[in-house]
Amino acid sequence: MIHHYYLSFIFIYLSLTSLCCQQLLKPKDEEQKIPDSLVPLVRHLTTKSMNNAWIKLQEEFESYIQNLTTRRDELLNKTEELSQLYENHLAGTGHVPRCPVTGQQTFFLYENFCYLFESMPVSWNRAKLNCIQIGAYLARPDTSSKDTFLETHPQRKDTAYWVGATDMDVEGTWRWTDNDEDVNFSNWGANQPNNWGSGQDCLSIGYETGGDRVWNDDDCNMYKPYICEKAVFSG
């Protein structure tokens, strides 16, 4: 570290140099003498002592820069080591897809997705918001295998569950709420969807018909349990 002595030394030297220059530039009738109190200090500041001080200052500064450079190289090497360890971790058995733990809620892993079976009955819109609040969305059973997993999972109670499709915008055009894509795969029950009564615009799954679990369109204001879905993460 640069010693305060040398900084003070340079400051005094520059101040005296400035004072001397001012004296030289003034007309002779305005010249002022250097104060007597500074005369001993001026005598001390010889060319040799100034050169020695400057050399010492340069040496300390160069040493300081060298220390910083060394420290920087050490940190760069450490960063490379940590990056390599992380890559090795991901390439090894430690790279395991798993589902998050949200409070006391348990997500179940299937393929690349995690599912939460919530037994508290709510309206379809409330179910949608509840899933969003935990970083998920109403489940999207868009393949036969996913639908079978959700329809037959032991966690699912013996009742219908809300999932994430609706035809609120255009009657008869069912779309998934999380990606706004058309529902292509379906597992509708017989004569469903039928938009019965005052209107049925939300998808529920799990109705038992002849031993099979099927889909049904229901009144969105009805209270049902629901299923949330989110992607897995690695760790």
Side-chain angles (χ1 to χ4, degrees):
M1 183 178 290
I2 301 173
H3 200 284
H4 291 296
Y5 169 78
Y6 296 106
L7 293 177
S8 301
F9 193 74
I10 291 173
F11 175 76
I12 295 172
Y13 172 73
L14 293 175
S15 299
L16 290 173
T17 301
S18 175
L19 180 60
C20 291
C21 290
Q22 291 176 12
Q23 294 297 324
L24 291 173
L25 293 173
K26 282 186 178 182
K28 286 197 173 185
D29 58 346
E30 295 183 14
E31 284 186 0
Q32 298 179 6
K33 291 183 179 181
I34 296 175
D36 292 341
S37 60
L38 293 179
V39 171
L41 183 58
V42 172
R43 289 174 179 172
H44 178 70
L45 297 178
T46 62
T47 302
K48 183 176 180 179
S49 63
M50 282 299 300
N51 286 341
N52 291 340
W54 183 251
I55 291 172
K56 180 65 174 177
L57 184 64
Q58 285 181 312
E59 290 175 350
E60 292 197 7
F61 182 73
E62 290 171 359
S63 176
Y64 178 69
I65 294 299
Q66 183 60 45
N67 290 338
L68 287 178
T69 302
T70 300
R71 183 58 178 160
R72 179 205 62 189
D73 294 341
E74 291 174 353
L75 291 173
L76 288 175
N77 291 335
K78 190 65 176 177
T79 300
E80 292 177 1
E81 292 176 8
L82 291 174
S83 297
Q84 187 61 52
L85 286 173
Y86 181 67
E87 290 177 5
N88 293 341
H89 168 72
L90 293 181
T93 57
H95 184 54
V96 180
R98 57 193 178 95
C99 292
V101 176
T102 306
Q104 297 182 357
Q105 298 168 321
T106 302
F107 283 81
F108 295 90
L109 177 65
Y110 181 73
E111 294 180 343
N112 293 321
F113 298 94
C114 298
Y115 296 93
L116 170 69
F117 294 81
E118 178 55 65
S119 59
M120 177 66 71
V122 294
S123 68
W124 185 87
N125 279 311
R126 182 71 258 177
K128 178 182 175 182
L129 290 174
N130 288 351
C131 290
I132 291 173
Q133 287 174 352
I134 59 173
Y137 47 87
L138 273 175
R140 176 171 26 98
D142 54 357
T143 66
S144 177
S145 60
K146 286 173 67 175
D147 183 59
T148 299
F149 170 79
L150 296 178
E151 298 269 21
T152 60
H153 194 279
Q155 188 70 17
R156 191 191 68 79
K157 307 301 181 183
D158 190 21
T159 184
Y161 278 67
W162 288 128
V163 292
T166 180
D167 68 342
M168 288 180 185
D169 293 336
V170 179
E171 180 59 37
T173 300
W174 289 83
R175 302 179 71 85
W176 299 113
T177 57
D178 66 295
N179 59 13
D180 200 35
E181 292 182 358
D182 288 339
V183 173
N184 294 316
F185 166 81
S186 64
N187 185 27
W188 295 109
N191 302 315
Q192 299 297 333
N194 61 4
N195 197 39
W196 182 80
S198 59
Q200 297 178 318
D201 297 323
C202 294
L203 174 60
S204 61
I205 66 172
Y207 282 92
E208 186 172 354
T209 301
D212 295 326
R213 299 288 180 179
V214 295
W215 295 10
N216 185 54
D217 60 337
D218 266 322
D219 183 345
C220 300
N221 294 316
M222 293 181 65
Y223 276 42
K224 297 179 183 292
Y226 57 95
I227 307 172
C228 298
E229 175 182 319
K230 67 191 308 181
V232 299
F233 68 93
S234 300

